[in-house]
Amino acid sequence: MFTGIVEELGHVVGLDAGEDSARLTVHGAVVTTDAVHGASISVNGVCLTVVEHGDEEFTVDVMAETLRRSSLGALVPGARVNLERAMPANGRFGGHVVQGHVDGTATITHRTPGDRWEVVGFTLPPALSRYVVEKGSITVDGVSLTVASVDDTSFTVSLIPTTLDLTTLGHKGVGDPVNLEVDVIAKYVERLMSQQGRDAAAYPLVVAQEDHS
């Protein structure tokens, strides 16, 4: 599990693509300080498992499902990536509950600079729009952010200087892809509510009627 607080801005060293998988090697001086085989590292919001590490680099395998749902397959050597190690049991929640399970991708629609901040707009896939609410949490390329505004097809966030300087979101332009993970709590609530509706339909409440005969 992660919190969406990026630890460092790494870069891709190599991408070896297969027919339905890929092997990705990333440079990350901070996240490799205590890396071990089998450790989890979030790369642009995707939870991946370390299979090799050393010399400030680590290698992960990316399966077909991940390539289909995320933008990792579009990475090239030199591309910047957001990196975060899995949160330890005694760690501090700096953002929100992030699983590293990408729900889909979006693209940047516009950037509006402010004094020392910037409003950035994104497309919103129809299948995810019901999980995104104003002032709610969303993960964009592994970054925990607060939704500033939202409608059925788009949403915006406001980025502070630290986020602009230390994550990919400060370096991407209009049309660039990003990975999205919606708040998992919203998905669980939806699932529970729909199950309650099915149970109520299958097992209607029988109200005993008093016999006046």
Side-chain angles (χ1 to χ4, degrees):
M1 185 175 67
F2 307 90
T3 71
I5 303 301
V6 172
E7 293 187 86
E8 70 174 314
L9 192 58
H11 66 270
V12 175
V13 176
L15 181 66
D16 183 13
E19 290 186 8
D20 60 355
S21 65
R23 176 159 282 206
L24 181 67
T25 300
V26 178
H27 179 273
V30 174
V31 299
T32 54
T33 55
D34 57 355
V36 296
H37 185 276
S40 295
I41 296 177
S42 171
V43 179
N44 277 0
V46 182
C47 177
L48 298 171
T49 301
V50 175
V51 295
E52 296 177 6
H53 63 91
D55 297 326
E56 300 186 346
E57 296 179 359
F58 66 94
T59 299
V60 295
D61 288 320
V62 187
M63 60 184 181
E65 169 72 1
T66 303
L67 293 172
R68 182 179 69 83
R69 283 187 176 266
S70 77
S71 63
L72 294 189
L75 293 175
V76 295
R80 299 180 178 95
V81 286
N82 296 324
L83 303 176
E84 179 191 358
R85 289 169 289 186
M87 189 185 78
N90 62 347
R92 176 178 295 177
F93 268 109
H96 71 283
V97 176
V98 176
Q99 295 181 297
H101 301 163
V102 170
D103 293 301
T105 60
T107 58
I108 297 175
T109 59
H110 65 273
R111 305 188 69 112
T112 307
D115 180 19
R116 298 186 64 249
W117 48 275
E118 192 168 349
V119 173
V120 182
F122 303 88
T123 59
L124 182 57
L128 301 182
S129 62
R130 63 183 180 273
Y131 304 116
V132 182
V133 297
E134 187 174 328
K135 305 308 178 187
S137 296
I138 192 168
T139 309
V140 180
D141 265 1
V143 184
S144 174
L145 297 169
T146 300
V147 176
S149 65
V150 61
D151 57 33
D152 290 339
T153 60
S154 65
F155 71 97
T156 66
V157 297
S158 296
L159 303 182
I160 62 174
T162 296
T163 305
L164 292 169
D165 291 340
L166 302 181
T167 77
T168 60
L169 299 182
H171 304 276
K172 289 191 170 185
V174 173
D176 284 342
V178 294
N179 294 318
L180 299 182
E181 180 184 334
V182 297
D183 192 344
V184 67
I185 296 175
K187 292 193 288 185
Y188 276 122
V189 170
E190 179 186 58
R191 175 72 172 176
L192 289 169
M193 295 298 289
S194 62
Q195 185 62 51
Q196 280 187 338
R198 287 193 294 269
D199 290 346
Y203 306 102
L205 179 64
V206 177
V207 179
Q209 296 182 347
E210 184 178 354
D211 184 0
H212 295 284
S213 59

